[in-house]
Amino acid sequence: MQDILYYAGIFFFGLLVLIAVGATIMPLFTFKQWYVRIFDYPRLQTFAMAVIALAWYLLLYYAPGRNANIFIVLFILIIVVQAYKVWPYTRFASKQVANAGDVYNDSGLVSFYISNVLQDNKKYHLSIQNIRRHDPDLVITTETDPHWQEQLSVLHEHYPYRIAVPQKNRYGLHVFSKLPLRKEVVRYLIEDDIPSIRTEMQLREGTWITLFVVHPRPPAPNEGGDTEDRDEEIIHVAKEAAKTPGGIIVAGDFNDVAWSATTRRFQEVSGLLDPRLGRGFYNTFHAKYPIFRWPLDHVFHSPHFKLKILQRAAAVNSDHFPMYVQLVFEGSEIKPASETTV
């Protein structure tokens, strides 16, 4: 019995090491296949696995010698690599976006509620209750089909400005706004069935800003098999944002984590800021499996804004948590709170 337990322990230890090593090495490759890019996501989980593996090894298997040193160095290397990737999103790192503080311009305040509702989710009332609880200026929903559009019509009384793109393929988009919208354009930038939205929104103080809403295809075997189209759409929007004057907000389900090479490239090209940096991960997916969570739903904005509130909203029976954000428009560009490099 002891032999069985011993060899079972060796097996699971080896499996843990294999997964941790593979999940660290795979993202180094530039291949676009889903089975490579999927390892961009679990940085926190890989960090935890490496810590557990190191502790396991030191407690049960460590014996002085060259081989022992190789194992220890390997575990420490994995821990350092993963920590380096996620560190900027911890509360110990520098903030990229300054806090609005207690004194701010009320007329420049704008609030957002962003939610991937899950098309097959029939508990519409949970989303509606959440929206009414937060009472945002702008509601952005993804995966909204004609049934969701009908259910969300109860919001029309309080949101007179709307953009509706209901679709049955899990890529429907809806925008509900208390603030005036103009120049609304629904585009299919890369794929004929994947919409995105570009519009202008007038803040209470009178300034018009540009809003982009996106929901590109994720890396998955049943979704095309690679990230080429997703990455191309994200960078396309980044280039548009870089050429657009004035205040800019890009929001939606990116189907990409904040620390991936694509999202880092998005920030470099667009010049937009990430309010998550220095504040937390705000993991939005998967809402039903705590051990498999990472940040997929994002808000990026130009340096014209400070941050008032950033929070993950209550679950709505979707596989995503919604996000609630309050930004304060300051008129002119604000120097970032730090020059954090992701």
Side-chain angles (χ1 to χ4, degrees), residues 40-189:
D40 287 330
Y41 292 46
R43 296 289 187 179
L44 282 169
Q45 290 82 355
T46 306
F47 173 86
M49 279 191 288
V51 170
I52 292 169
L54 177 58
W56 192 339
Y57 177 73
L58 292 175
L59 288 172
L60 299 179
Y61 304 126
Y62 173 74
R66 178 179 293 180
N67 291 340
N69 293 335
I70 290 173
F71 269 108
I72 292 171
V73 169
L74 175 65
F75 294 138
I76 291 176
L77 185 61
I78 293 171
I79 290 168
V80 169
V81 168
Q82 300 300 347
Y84 173 78
K85 289 292 185 180
V86 301
W87 172 263
Y89 299 91
T90 68
R91 293 180 179 271
F92 305 105
S94 300
K95 295 180 177 66
Q96 191 173 65
V97 178
N99 291 324
D102 296 328
V103 179
Y104 56 89
N105 179 9
D106 282 327
S107 63
L109 181 68
V110 57
S111 55
F112 292 77
Y113 178 90
I114 304 153
S115 180
N116 180 320
V117 299
L118 185 61
Q119 183 174 297
D120 297 332
N121 176 16
K122 303 304 180 186
K123 294 187 177 181
Y124 309 107
H125 66 284
L126 294 178
S127 289
I128 294 167
Q129 289 171 2
N130 234 6
I131 292 167
R132 287 174 170 166
R133 184 182 306 120
H134 288 284
D135 192 27
D137 297 315
L138 190 78
V139 177
I140 295 170
T141 62
T142 60
E143 286 203 31
T144 34
D145 62 3
H147 295 294
W148 269 97
Q149 177 170 290
E150 181 181 356
Q151 294 295 321
L152 293 177
S153 64
V154 298
L155 301 174
H156 289 184
E157 180 182 356
H158 298 288
Y159 293 91
Y161 305 96
R162 299 180 291 275
I163 304 172
V165 195
Q167 294 193 176
K168 296 180 179 180
N169 65 347
R170 299 183 183 274
Y171 292 97
L173 298 175
H174 283 76
V175 174
F176 302 83
S177 179
K178 294 180 181 179
L179 304 175
L181 302 177
R182 72 180 185 187
K183 299 182 181 179
E184 304 99 322
V185 181
V186 176
R187 300 98 55 80
Y188 296 81
L189 296 173

Side-chain angles (χ1 to χ4, degrees), residues 266-284:
F266 169 84
Q267 279 201 264
E268 291 169 4
V269 171
S270 66
L272 301 182
L273 308 180
D274 185 353
R276 274 191 174 102
L277 286 165
R279 291 188 170 88
F281 301 104
Y282 297 91
N283 295 324
T284 56

Side-chain angles (χ1 to χ4, degrees), residues 246-262:
I248 299 167
I249 293 173
V250 179
D253 174 4
F254 273 53
N255 274 315
D256 193 23
V257 284
W259 45 75
S260 79
T262 301

Side-chain angles (χ1 to χ4, degrees), residues 98-104 109 279 306-309 326-328 330:
N99 291 324
D102 296 328
V103 179
Y104 56 89
L109 181 68
R279 291 188 170 88
K306 289 183 179 179
L307 180 71
K308 183 62 179 174
I309 293 176
Q326 286 187 4
L327 299 175
V328 178
E330 294 288 339

